[in-house]
Amino acid sequence: MVDWSAARALLEDSCADTFDKTACVLQPRKGGLGPNHKAVDDDSRVAFPFSGTIDLEASTERSGRNKPSDPETSGSVSYDAVLTAHIGAWPYLPERGDFVVADGVTWKIMAKEKDGSSRPAWYLNKA
């Protein structure tokens, strides 16, 4: 009898070992003191390093959740990049607005797509 949970965990670990070669740091952020203040680092969540995969050719097909506010647009939303990573040992999950620093570039998390695996996707724009 196959242990499907163990098989899936092994597959996700193998995928991470194969693809997650970019050294990244997650820098949590939070809103400023009020609506007129800029966002600041969130001291209640500690920044941490991880390995991930950043794809610079993000698809614009993901338009169902974050549609543009202008009804005259085509309905597609585009992002600068997509980040995937194995989140099994992470202390917490990133939130929209958090920063990811990789290869000297600071990215802002704009949206998230979770598919039930330990490898969600975050859609990024340059900060």
Side-chain angles (χ1 to χ4, degrees):
M1 185 87 184
V2 175
D3 180 356
W4 290 110
S5 295
R8 187 175 78 189
L10 180 62
L11 179 62
E12 290 176 352
D13 287 341
S14 297
C15 186
D17 290 342
T18 302
F19 294 105
D20 294 346
K21 302 296 184 189
T22 303
C24 305
V25 174
L26 178 69
Q27 177 57 60
R29 306 278 289 169
K30 66 179 179 178
L33 294 174
N36 295 327
H37 294 88
K38 291 184 179 184
V40 296
D41 291 344
D42 185 352
D43 296 332
S44 68
R45 299 181 291 149
V46 178
F48 65 88
F50 66 95
S51 294
T53 302
I54 296 180
D55 181 4
L56 298 178
E57 296 185 24
S59 170
T60 58
E61 294 177 12
R62 186 195 176 282
S63 61
R65 292 187 185 162
N66 294 323
K67 292 188 177 183
S69 59
D70 183 358
E72 298 298 319
T73 62
S74 64
S76 65
V77 178
S78 62
Y79 300 100
D80 294 334
V82 178
L83 165 69
T84 59
H86 188 285
I87 60 170
W90 287 18
Y92 60 87
L93 292 178
E95 298 173 4
R96 187 174 175 187
D98 287 350
F99 285 170
V100 174
V101 180
D103 294 332
V105 178
T106 300
W107 303 93
K108 183 176 182 179
I109 296 175
M110 305 303 294
K112 174 184 170 184
E113 189 165 344
K114 180 118 174 87
D115 64 0
S117 73
S118 294
R119 293 189 65 80
W122 293 276
Y123 293 86
L124 311 172
N125 284 338
K126 287 186 179 176

